[in-house]
Amino acid sequence: MYEVTIGIPVFQAVDYIGATMRSALAQTYPSIEFLVIDDCGGDGSMDVIECLRREHQRGQDIRILHNEKNIGVGPSRNRLIDEAQGSFIYFLDSDDQIEPNTIELMMSEAILHHADVVYASYEQIDNVRHSPTKHYVYPYQVIDEPEVLANYAFRHYGHFQASVCNCLMDIKFLKAIKIRFIDAMYWEDMAFTYELVTMVNRAVLMPNITYHYLCRPNSLSNYQDRIQLQKEEILRNVSTIDYLKWKCHQLSGRTYVPYMCYNLEMNSFYIVCHVIKYRERIVPGISDRDLRQIMHMPLPLREILRFRQCLFINLSLWFVVKLPIRLFMSVIKIIGRMKKVL
């Protein structure tokens, strides 16, 4: 048995997986299982891992699972949770890297504060548009009450990670709350994170930058850079947001729901702006009525009117969605230009 499992789903990452695995194997924390799941990429990634298992001094701690067919990152992560031998699990994407003391730092906080989850800070390296590296740094904070983490996450949207990477999670806690990754092509980690923060009572936020997130061409997170986009892919993205809107409805009355409602609606807004911006690439086409449907509010008007926070902005968004189609499109384009996304 191990204290920590680093779970790594692998699919077509042959150019990156060597550096990713070496950063994991370089951890200063001694009791780690490196659990790799082969999602049938067939590009030589697993050959790199097999070589490390044979030759690296910690190779005996690498365990490989093989999916019978490609099932996607969400179901693969579910399998990692189910089969992990560690008491805690830490997800690492197959093209990212972590600092050598990542697990040591996070485990010390988890043990000291009996945390369900520990989040550390990270940096985003853009190899697609080559924009400057961005740093996302949390203030040090120990959370030991219900709803506090959810309030922080939804109030600081844009600075709180939607990814499940770079957080250390107690596996017994995950199994107790019965949380699972949804089977989605995109944003399955966002759905998991949004659900998770509403269930966590004890957490730690750390200012240490321990994770290096690489935005690379042809990755799932950068599918929009292709010449042609399928409508089905856009709608699968929307389905993840719709799932969270349904969850938001279930959580009605919680103190963080006004912020969650606003964040989900703004995610829908950015999807709509993305569609407008790249409309000529999308096949088959998406109608204006489809776009308005994407923007449907998570909660009915009677619930929104009860909000004590974010009332005006949520109410404004509700009225925008109810506008006639042409006026709705005009308002969305104006707001999109104001926010510099159109």
Side-chain angles (χ1 to χ4, degrees), residues 299-308 311 314-315 319:
L299 297 172
L301 179 60
R302 65 179 181 275
E303 296 290 335
I304 294 172
L305 290 171
R306 296 192 184 109
F307 286 174
R308 294 186 178 182
L311 173 60
N314 277 297
L315 198 57
F319 278 112

Side-chain angles (χ1 to χ4, degrees), residues 6 11 21 25 29 61 71 120 149 161 172 231 315 320:
I6 296 181
F11 178 76
M21 286 298 300
L25 293 164
Y29 200 79
D61 297 318
I71 61 174
L149 180 62
Q161 65 192 62
K172 284 185 179 179
K231 179 180 178 179
L315 198 57
V320 168

Side-chain angles (χ1 to χ4, degrees), residues 109 118-122 135-143 148-149 152-153 156 159-161 203-209:
E109 295 291 338
V118 177
Y119 292 91
S121 303
Y122 66 102
H135 295 89
Y136 296 87
V137 180
Y138 299 124
Y140 181 76
Q141 186 173 353
V142 177
I143 293 166
V148 174
L149 180 62
Y152 179 88
H156 296 85
H159 293 279
F160 190 88
Q161 65 192 62
V204 179
L205 304 179
M206 297 171 51
N208 311 71
I209 294 179

Side-chain angles (χ1 to χ4, degrees), residues 41 49 57 87 101-102 195 223 240 259 273 307 311 333 340:
I49 295 168
Q57 61 184 358
S87 298
N101 62 348
T102 295
E195 286 193 75
Y223 75 98
T240 302
Y259 301 105
C273 287
F307 286 174
L311 173 60
K333 289 176 182 179
K340 298 181 180 180

Side-chain angles (χ1 to χ4, degrees), residues 1-5 84-89 107 169-173:
M1 295 297 290
Y2 296 86
E3 293 179 30
V4 178
T5 291
Q85 294 180 1
S87 298
F88 289 81
I89 191 165
M107 276 297 288
M169 296 171 283
D170 186 318
I171 288 184
K172 284 185 179 179
F173 167 72

Side-chain angles (χ1 to χ4, degrees), residues 7 17 33 52-53 88 143 153 161 174 180 182 191 219 232:
I17 190 60
E33 171 194 31
L52 286 168
R53 186 162 65 167
F88 289 81
I143 293 166
Q161 65 192 62
L174 295 182
R180 305 292 284 178
I182 64 173
S219 70
E232 180 184 358

Side-chain angles (χ1 to χ4, degrees), residues 8-27 34 36 43-53 55-56 62 92-98 214 216:
I8 310 171
V10 177
F11 178 76
Q12 295 185 350
V14 67
D15 293 332
Y16 307 91
I17 190 60
T20 297
M21 286 298 300
R22 283 188 287 272
S23 77
L25 293 164
Q27 292 303 295
F34 306 93
V36 176
D43 67 336
S45 295
M46 299 312 299
D47 295 335
V48 176
I49 295 168
E50 290 285 4
C51 181
L52 286 168
R53 186 162 65 167
E55 299 178 0
H56 198 278
I62 298 174
L92 173 61
D93 278 351
S94 58
D95 51 3
D96 298 335
Q97 297 178 36
I98 54 178
L214 178 65
R216 63 179 176 90

